[in-house]
Amino acid sequence: MTHAGDEGLFERVLDGAAADGAGAELFERRGALLELTEDEEGSTLLETRERGFALRLFKAGRSAFAASGAERAAHLPAEARRRLPRARARRGVRLPAPGPGESAEGRALVDPTPPDADLARTLLTGFRQALTAAGRGTVSVREAAVSLGERTERLATSAGRDAAWSSRLATLVATVIGRSPAGRFSARVVGAAARPEELPVARLARHAADRVLLPLQGRPFTASRADVLLDPLVGAHLVGRLAPLFFGDEEEALLAARTREGRDALAAPLVSLVDDATASGGVVRGVRDGEGTPRGRTTVVDKGLPSGRLTDVAAAGRLSAASTGNAVRLAWSAPPRVGSTNFFIDPSPGVSPLDLLAGVGRGLYAAVLLERPEIDLAADRFRLVVAGFAVERGRATERVSEAEVSGRLSEFLRGVAGIGDDLRFVLGGTGSAGAPTLLVPRWRVG
Amino acid sequence: MRETGDLSRDADEAVRLVSGLLRRGESGEAFRERVRTETWTASESGLLAPALSEESGTAVRIRRDGALLLVARSGAGPESLREAVREAARRAGSAPFFKAHRAAPAAPAPSRAEPPEEEERRTAALAAALARAFSDPRGMTATVEVSRVVTERTVVTPRALLPCGSRTRLVAAGTIRRSGSERPFSFQSARPFGEAAEALAAALRAAARPVPALPPAPGPVDVVFSPQAASVFWHEVVGHPLEADAGDRGSVLSRVKGAAVAPAGLEVVDDPGRADLPGAYAVDDEGALGRAVPLLSGGVVTGLLADRRSGGVETNGHGRTPSFRRPPRPRMANLVANAGDATLDELLARCGDGVFVRDVAHGAADPESGRFVLFVSEADAVRKGRRGAPLAPFALAGEILSALASVDETWGNEVLPATGLSLCVKGGDAVCVGGAAAALLVRGLVARTARR
């Protein structure tokens, strides 16, 4: 992707931007993506290379943003400078500076390695085989796609921060069809990992088979109140939607309301919520955030009590703290904002899902989500439409085609009475979200 | 920054490159795109400065025996095209024609710099519209990103370079909270900026109104859809099942092609030529002329929306892609249903007891099983043929063939454009769509509670 004449482009743009007394931050991202899709029509191979620059100028509490590809990058300083005098920005916006002991790396970016099409083919074949086994021949693939991506990124500021890093992402997305005498049912499933070799192909195939067969083979759940076991892949979607509560100081009022100004816990004492870019199994594994700040582990709920916030440089400034490295750039062409990396409920070591199942008298094991979860943080309500298995005295008795788990979100979180050790992640929010198996006794089920 | 660039300045060379790339039995094209986006962050207390971005890209696509190769590169200039062609040729195993054909460098892109005052004028107009929308922000918080998106596309076929034109849209998405409840907000308009900003203000005002507390009782319910909401119903129930990538046996409607599934006299057409609607285009993203395709004619299933890769069907100009990075797929453009002869009051009277759906926030359909769900954001109860109290948001579920069979034999006499339809997301790919329909009575859909 580097063309003749591009050498030193990054430095030229940054130097041009740092004039006139404004602080400047320049971000460059190079990406390589390979995506192989197989469907009923044949196969599609996508191979993409991209390169983009994003500039932020800072002056007297104002900030201006401009982004473009390499062909227009030389114009970015003029574009940002033109808008700076009239730019209004959120309070606390400031130029990212190097942290204590942080030294400028100052190395030019290299193009990411082109991903391997043969590896993508192997993963797709593995998924098809696993699905055939999991569905016992009653589930087929309408469309499946594996995408393998790699990025290299660099960020430098006129305050002396200069860092470069790389990251990878692999996803498998499939639309599968289940057939039974009761009819046909299709669903889309998504699996993701930080490395292609970590893609949970067999687990995704089992999940896909459940997703289309349970609604066809099961019966609606009849009990109105039951012990609820949430599969990690169901619970993770719920957990992911909690992350915005902890983005900077944006939801202070809501958090205060949920905890009655700190008098109540936010969740059961068993529950700790964590954001950790280094979490094993997490989909995000970049070492720095979108402002170049080193990423780490932040506990936002410790044993049921709020204990921290996820911040970028601006939010950290408002909270008089150091940035937790949670600035995310959803695209190179968008300004950074506060977001989560791998956001999850901390698992309980040594507690297997079977241990939790054994404690269920009459209940529901929610194995798959049938619809997008409905979660209203402001109203403190949630609704999950799930399929799974009825449980009697610690054993699964029959398939459940549909059940609704809903109610007050805060009550649900405070009602968690068991957490497994089987942490799993799904793509969600601005990164990934994770949960182990969760047990909530005596919950309303429709 | 330029308002849009000229993607056609190297037309001859581009056509030569694409035609030289393709071998016998192959078809393909190049696709160029430039997108300029100004994004403001809006809240109840005002606007934050616009962020600006300009993205451009080139894709080269080769199709052969049901296989598609797509190579995409940043940049929309001659160099990006040559690089994409070179890589596509390498992956397809052919010798690129251009190695022997070095053309003269293309003329530099003409400068079309927009005067800075234009952007300031837009910011001022938007700020004024938001001030009117949030004239009483007490007890409310809003976080909405508003973007003005200018998209310019060109398709290079082996024979010609076909400009798809430049489209400008105002897009907004975010959340609005009031009275302890959060509502997602989305909006899109292809109208001129001033009109679009006014429409946005009106939509925000409506979204900021307090949400009623009670949804309808769960269970079967007769539903009168407003013209705006009816567009979403047709989009989910007829449009998606008749997109050709569901496969010949892939959807409950494509499996019964030629069968009467809805009342006689009902016409549903997907028409990219409706320039007044957001999904309009003259040439699709594969360089095929966008044609109006009747999907239901007299209530009979008649058509499929096809792209160049749809098996067994010739393209009818519905190959659409959200960006140069993604392959085109058969997608709707503007789904238009015909007018009947009933007034809205007559439909409400025929309904008797039920609900009147004013707006649908979003919907989803599974063409395979035929199940669909519509998330109703604004509705009123209907009692004895009259509109009553507003209802809290709820979901309406149904089965496609049953719902079509339950469409009342008479429907509204006024076709209006949809306001709720904007971006249609399928398989993660979002494209702009439009719709226009008349009010509609459907019996026996199933109401469910929904929190959003």
Side-chain angles (χ1 to χ4, degrees), chain A residues 211-270:
Chain A
R211 178 74 178 77
V212 292
L213 292 179
L214 284 170
L216 290 170
Q217 297 174 344
R219 292 196 300 184
F221 193 70
T222 49
S224 61
R225 200 168 271 273
D227 297 347
V228 172
L229 270 176
L230 292 189
D231 182 88
L233 297 185
V234 176
H237 285 282
L238 185 71
V239 171
R241 300 286 285 275
L242 301 176
L245 273 175
F246 307 98
F247 289 176
D249 52 356
E250 293 168 21
E251 302 290 4
E252 288 295 315
L254 200 55
L255 270 177
R258 290 289 160 271
T259 58
R260 294 197 306 144
E261 307 293 340
R263 293 194 295 276
D264 290 348
L266 194 66
L270 279 175

Side-chain angles (χ1 to χ4, degrees), chain B residues 174-432:
Chain B
T175 54
I176 294 175
R177 282 184 190 169
R178 174 158 240 165
S179 310
S181 179
E182 184 176 275
R183 299 175 75 174
F185 175 80
S186 66
F187 170 88
Q188 176 174 264
S189 173
R191 284 186 270 172
F193 191 83
E195 291 177 36
E198 282 310 313
L200 171 64
L204 283 168
R205 247 192 325 269
R209 279 198 290 262
V211 180
L214 286 177
V221 64
D222 295 345
V223 181
V224 177
F225 288 98
S226 72
Q228 291 83 358
S231 281
V232 187
F233 174 82
W234 293 123
H235 179 94
E236 300 296 347
V237 169
V238 171
H240 279 307
L242 291 173
E243 289 170 332
D245 61 350
D248 262 1
R249 304 274 310 151
S251 94
V252 288
L253 284 188
S254 62
R255 291 199 281 269
V256 294
K257 197 173 175 189
V261 295
L266 191 63
E267 310 283 333
V268 180
V269 177
D270 192 77
D271 187 0
R274 282 284 300 262
D276 58 319
L277 299 176
Y281 53 84
V283 174
D284 78 358
D285 297 330
E286 296 178 315
L289 208 60
R291 280 186 265 156
V293 179
L295 299 179
L296 292 186
S297 297
V300 173
V301 180
T302 49
L304 269 182
L305 302 176
D307 65 356
R308 290 190 189 278
R309 202 168 155 252
S310 305
V313 199
E314 274 206 8
T315 178
N316 45 35
H318 282 78
R320 306 190 63 195
T321 178
S323 94
F324 69 95
R325 305 171 181 90
R326 305 292 305 157
R329 306 187 115 183
R331 301 293 292 271
M332 279 171 271
N334 299 310
L335 199 64
V336 181
N338 66 332
D341 49 20
T343 64
L344 183 57
D345 285 343
E346 287 166 349
L347 288 178
L348 291 168
R350 289 175 75 88
C351 175
D353 289 346
V355 297
F356 173 68
V357 174
R358 282 181 273 131
D359 217 342
V360 176
H362 61 274
D366 173 25
E368 180 74 35
S369 66
R371 296 183 197 194
F372 70 93
V373 60
L374 304 172
F375 294 91
V376 176
S377 52
E378 293 177 36
D380 302 322
V382 177
R383 294 280 177 267
K384 296 179 182 171
R386 288 169 173 255
R387 282 167 67 175
L391 296 167
F394 61 99
L396 280 173
E399 194 280 324
I400 287 171
L401 288 173
S402 305
L404 286 171
S406 305
V407 172
D408 195 74
E409 61 192 16
T410 179
W411 57 92
N413 57 7
E414 188 182 18
V415 173
L416 294 175
T419 49
L421 272 179
S422 53
L423 284 182
C424 168
V425 181
K426 179 177 166 181
D429 290 345
V431 298
C432 300

Side-chain angles (χ1 to χ4, degrees), chain A residues 79 83 142-143 184 186, chain B residues 1 52 56 329 366 368:
Chain A
E79 293 292 347
R83 289 169 179 88
R142 175 183 284 166
E143 179 181 298
R184 299 146 75 104
S186 71
Chain B
M1 202 172 276
L52 286 142
S56 58
R329 306 187 115 183
D366 173 25
E368 180 74 35

Side-chain angles (χ1 to χ4, degrees), chain A residues 1-3 33-35 37 39-52 63-72 75-76 79 82-83 86-90 114-115 117 142-143 173 176-179 184-188 215-216 241 245 250-251 254 258 331-335 337 370-383 385 402 404 407, chain B residues 1-2 9 34 36 38 41 43 45-57 65-77 79-80 83 87 91 114-117 119-120 143 145 177 180-183 244-251 255 309-312 324-327 329 362 366-371 373 375 395 426-428 448-452:
Chain A
M1 277 307 294
T2 309
H3 299 308
L33 179 82
L34 183 136
E35 183 177 301
T37 306
D39 59 20
E40 292 164 343
E41 308 284 346
S43 67
T44 300
L45 182 69
L46 312 184
E47 195 265 344
T48 306
R49 301 274 190 92
E50 283 195 76
R51 186 180 181 199
S63 172
F65 176 92
S68 81
E71 60 185 0
R72 299 276 305 161
H75 300 269
L76 289 177
E79 293 292 347
R82 184 158 71 81
R83 289 169 179 88
R86 285 176 299 279
R88 276 187 66 205
R90 287 196 195 283
R142 175 183 284 166
E143 179 181 298
V173 181
V176 302
I177 304 168
R179 294 180 175 85
R184 299 146 75 104
F185 198 85
S186 71
R188 188 165 178 264
L216 290 170
R241 300 286 285 275
L245 273 175
E250 293 168 21
E251 302 290 4
L254 200 55
R258 290 289 160 271
W332 57 260
S333 53
R337 59 175 64 177
L370 297 183
E371 291 177 8
R372 190 166 62 170
E374 293 167 18
I375 289 149
D376 186 335
L377 294 175
D380 192 25
R381 310 291 305 190
F382 78 104
R383 177 174 174 271
V385 180
E402 185 171 340
E404 181 182 310
Chain B
M1 202 172 276
R2 291 162 299 169
R9 58 202 161 92
R34 179 169 283 128
R36 181 182 188 274
E38 294 165 13
T41 303
S43 71
S45 56
L47 274 185
L48 299 184
L52 286 142
S53 76
E54 190 178 53
E55 282 194 77
S56 58
D65 298 334
L68 170 69
L69 169 67
L70 184 152
V71 173
R73 293 290 181 270
S74 289
E79 184 61 34
S80 297
E83 198 176 308
E87 179 62 19
R91 288 193 174 268
E114 185 191 47
E117 309 85 70
E119 188 184 296
E120 285 167 34
T143 308
E145 287 210 335
R177 282 184 190 169
S181 179
E182 184 176 275
R183 299 175 75 174
D245 61 350
D248 262 1
R249 304 274 310 151
S251 94
R255 291 199 281 269
R309 202 168 155 252
S310 305
F324 69 95
R325 305 171 181 90
R326 305 292 305 157
R329 306 187 115 183
H362 61 274
D366 173 25
E368 180 74 35
S369 66
R371 296 183 197 194
V373 60
F375 294 91
K426 179 177 166 181
R448 294 190 331 213
T449 55
R451 289 290 156 199
R452 46 187 300 180

Side-chain angles (χ1 to χ4, degrees), chain A residues 391-413:
Chain A
V391 179
E392 295 276 353
R393 288 193 288 274
R395 295 177 68 91
T397 52
E398 65 173 355
R399 292 181 173 91
V400 171
S401 61
E402 185 171 340
E404 181 182 310
V405 181
S406 61
R408 283 209 173 276
L409 187 56
S410 54
E411 279 178 29
F412 191 81
L413 292 172

